[in-house]
Short mmCIF file of all heavy atoms in Angstrom, two decimals:
data_model
loop_
_atom_site.label_atom_id
_atom_site.label_comp_id
_atom_site.label_asym_id
_atom_site.label_seq_id
_atom_site.Cartn_x
_atom_site.Cartn_y
_atom_site.Cartn_z
N GLU A 1 6.14 5.72 -0.12
CA GLU A 1 6.12 7.09 0.40
C GLU A 1 5.11 7.25 1.53
O GLU A 1 5.36 7.95 2.50
CB GLU A 1 5.82 8.06 -0.73
CG GLU A 1 6.93 8.14 -1.76
CD GLU A 1 6.63 9.08 -2.90
OE1 GLU A 1 5.51 9.66 -2.95
OE2 GLU A 1 7.50 9.24 -3.77
N SER A 2 3.95 6.62 1.40
CA SER A 2 2.94 6.67 2.46
C SER A 2 2.08 5.42 2.39
O SER A 2 2.01 4.76 1.34
CB SER A 2 2.07 7.92 2.33
OG SER A 2 1.30 7.85 1.15
N ALA A 3 1.46 5.09 3.53
CA ALA A 3 0.62 3.89 3.59
C ALA A 3 -0.55 4.13 4.54
O ALA A 3 -0.41 4.83 5.54
CB ALA A 3 1.44 2.70 4.06
N GLU A 4 -1.67 3.54 4.18
CA GLU A 4 -2.86 3.63 5.02
C GLU A 4 -3.56 2.27 4.99
O GLU A 4 -3.90 1.77 3.92
CB GLU A 4 -3.79 4.73 4.53
CG GLU A 4 -4.98 4.94 5.43
CD GLU A 4 -5.87 6.06 4.95
OE1 GLU A 4 -5.36 7.01 4.34
OE2 GLU A 4 -7.08 5.97 5.19
N THR A 5 -3.79 1.71 6.16
CA THR A 5 -4.37 0.38 6.27
C THR A 5 -5.84 0.47 6.63
O THR A 5 -6.25 1.31 7.42
CB THR A 5 -3.64 -0.43 7.36
OG1 THR A 5 -2.25 -0.40 7.09
CG2 THR A 5 -4.09 -1.86 7.38
N ASN A 6 -6.61 -0.44 6.04
CA ASN A 6 -8.02 -0.59 6.38
C ASN A 6 -8.27 -2.08 6.58
O ASN A 6 -8.15 -2.86 5.65
CB ASN A 6 -8.91 -0.02 5.27
CG ASN A 6 -10.37 -0.08 5.63
OD1 ASN A 6 -10.73 -0.18 6.79
ND2 ASN A 6 -11.21 -0.02 4.62
N SER A 7 -8.62 -2.45 7.79
CA SER A 7 -8.86 -3.85 8.11
C SER A 7 -10.32 -4.19 7.86
O SER A 7 -11.22 -3.48 8.31
CB SER A 7 -8.50 -4.13 9.57
OG SER A 7 -8.67 -5.48 9.86
N THR A 8 -10.55 -5.27 7.12
CA THR A 8 -11.90 -5.74 6.85
C THR A 8 -12.04 -7.15 7.41
O THR A 8 -11.07 -7.72 7.91
CB THR A 8 -12.20 -5.75 5.34
OG1 THR A 8 -11.28 -6.65 4.69
CG2 THR A 8 -12.06 -4.36 4.73
N VAL A 9 -13.22 -7.71 7.31
CA VAL A 9 -13.46 -9.04 7.86
C VAL A 9 -12.64 -10.09 7.11
O VAL A 9 -12.03 -10.96 7.71
CB VAL A 9 -14.97 -9.39 7.78
CG1 VAL A 9 -15.22 -10.81 8.24
CG2 VAL A 9 -15.77 -8.41 8.62
N GLY A 10 -12.57 -9.99 5.79
CA GLY A 10 -11.89 -11.00 4.99
C GLY A 10 -10.41 -10.78 4.79
O GLY A 10 -9.70 -11.67 4.36
N GLY A 11 -9.92 -9.60 5.09
CA GLY A 11 -8.51 -9.34 4.85
C GLY A 11 -8.09 -7.96 5.30
O GLY A 11 -8.83 -7.27 6.00
N VAL A 12 -6.91 -7.60 4.86
CA VAL A 12 -6.36 -6.29 5.19
C VAL A 12 -6.06 -5.57 3.88
O VAL A 12 -5.35 -6.10 3.03
CB VAL A 12 -5.06 -6.43 6.03
CG1 VAL A 12 -4.45 -5.09 6.30
CG2 VAL A 12 -5.34 -7.16 7.33
N GLU A 13 -6.63 -4.38 3.73
CA GLU A 13 -6.38 -3.58 2.53
C GLU A 13 -5.37 -2.50 2.88
O GLU A 13 -5.57 -1.74 3.82
CB GLU A 13 -7.68 -2.94 2.05
CG GLU A 13 -7.52 -2.16 0.78
CD GLU A 13 -8.83 -1.61 0.28
OE1 GLU A 13 -9.64 -2.42 -0.21
OE2 GLU A 13 -9.04 -0.39 0.39
N LEU A 14 -4.29 -2.47 2.13
CA LEU A 14 -3.23 -1.50 2.37
C LEU A 14 -3.10 -0.62 1.14
O LEU A 14 -2.73 -1.08 0.06
CB LEU A 14 -1.91 -2.22 2.65
CG LEU A 14 -0.70 -1.36 2.94
CD1 LEU A 14 -0.92 -0.52 4.20
CD2 LEU A 14 0.53 -2.21 3.09
N ALA A 15 -3.44 0.66 1.30
CA ALA A 15 -3.32 1.64 0.22
C ALA A 15 -1.97 2.33 0.36
O ALA A 15 -1.68 2.89 1.41
CB ALA A 15 -4.45 2.65 0.29
N VAL A 16 -1.14 2.24 -0.67
CA VAL A 16 0.20 2.82 -0.62
C VAL A 16 0.40 3.81 -1.75
O VAL A 16 -0.21 3.70 -2.81
CB VAL A 16 1.29 1.72 -0.69
CG1 VAL A 16 1.26 0.83 0.52
CG2 VAL A 16 1.17 0.90 -1.96
N LYS A 17 1.26 4.77 -1.50
CA LYS A 17 1.74 5.69 -2.53
C LYS A 17 3.21 5.35 -2.71
O LYS A 17 3.98 5.35 -1.75
CB LYS A 17 1.57 7.13 -2.09
CG LYS A 17 1.96 8.13 -3.17
CD LYS A 17 1.62 9.54 -2.73
CE LYS A 17 1.83 10.56 -3.81
NZ LYS A 17 3.13 10.63 -4.37
N LEU A 18 3.59 5.01 -3.94
CA LEU A 18 4.94 4.55 -4.22
C LEU A 18 5.75 5.64 -4.92
O LEU A 18 5.21 6.47 -5.63
CB LEU A 18 4.91 3.30 -5.10
CG LEU A 18 4.15 2.10 -4.56
CD1 LEU A 18 4.16 0.98 -5.57
CD2 LEU A 18 4.75 1.64 -3.24
N SER A 19 7.06 5.55 -4.74
CA SER A 19 7.95 6.42 -5.50
C SER A 19 7.99 5.91 -6.94
O SER A 19 7.71 4.74 -7.19
CB SER A 19 9.34 6.43 -4.87
OG SER A 19 9.91 5.14 -4.93
N PRO A 20 8.33 6.76 -7.90
CA PRO A 20 8.31 6.34 -9.31
C PRO A 20 9.24 5.17 -9.64
O PRO A 20 8.97 4.41 -10.55
CB PRO A 20 8.75 7.60 -10.07
CG PRO A 20 8.43 8.73 -9.16
CD PRO A 20 8.60 8.19 -7.77
N ASP A 21 10.31 5.00 -8.89
CA ASP A 21 11.26 3.92 -9.19
C ASP A 21 11.09 2.72 -8.27
O ASP A 21 11.97 1.87 -8.18
CB ASP A 21 12.69 4.45 -9.11
CG ASP A 21 13.01 5.01 -7.74
OD1 ASP A 21 12.08 5.34 -6.99
OD2 ASP A 21 14.21 5.12 -7.41
N ALA A 22 9.96 2.59 -7.60
CA ALA A 22 9.73 1.51 -6.64
C ALA A 22 9.60 0.16 -7.36
O ALA A 22 9.11 0.08 -8.49
CB ALA A 22 8.48 1.79 -5.84
N ASP A 23 10.03 -0.89 -6.68
CA ASP A 23 9.90 -2.26 -7.17
C ASP A 23 8.65 -2.86 -6.52
O ASP A 23 8.66 -3.24 -5.37
CB ASP A 23 11.15 -3.06 -6.81
CG ASP A 23 11.13 -4.47 -7.38
OD1 ASP A 23 10.14 -4.84 -8.03
OD2 ASP A 23 12.11 -5.20 -7.15
N LEU A 24 7.57 -2.94 -7.29
CA LEU A 24 6.27 -3.34 -6.77
C LEU A 24 6.29 -4.76 -6.20
O LEU A 24 5.75 -5.01 -5.12
CB LEU A 24 5.23 -3.21 -7.88
CG LEU A 24 3.78 -3.41 -7.52
CD1 LEU A 24 3.34 -2.41 -6.47
CD2 LEU A 24 2.91 -3.28 -8.76
N ALA A 25 6.89 -5.70 -6.91
CA ALA A 25 6.92 -7.09 -6.44
C ALA A 25 7.72 -7.22 -5.15
O ALA A 25 7.31 -7.94 -4.23
CB ALA A 25 7.51 -7.99 -7.53
N ALA A 26 8.85 -6.54 -5.06
CA ALA A 26 9.67 -6.61 -3.84
C ALA A 26 8.93 -6.00 -2.66
O ALA A 26 8.99 -6.52 -1.53
CB ALA A 26 11.00 -5.90 -4.06
#
């Protein structure tokens, strides 16, 4: 539903809001 990225030195952190029926692994 929404996503917000925060780039750090070691990686990329992506905070997401998912719909209730979302397939997390996919």
Side-chain angles (χ1 to χ4, degrees):
E1 293 179 357
S2 66
E4 185 178 329
T5 307
N6 184 20
S7 183
T8 61
V9 175
V12 177
E13 183 176 288
L14 181 62
V16 294
K17 184 174 187 303
L18 302 177
S19 63
D21 59 340
D23 184 359
L24 187 60

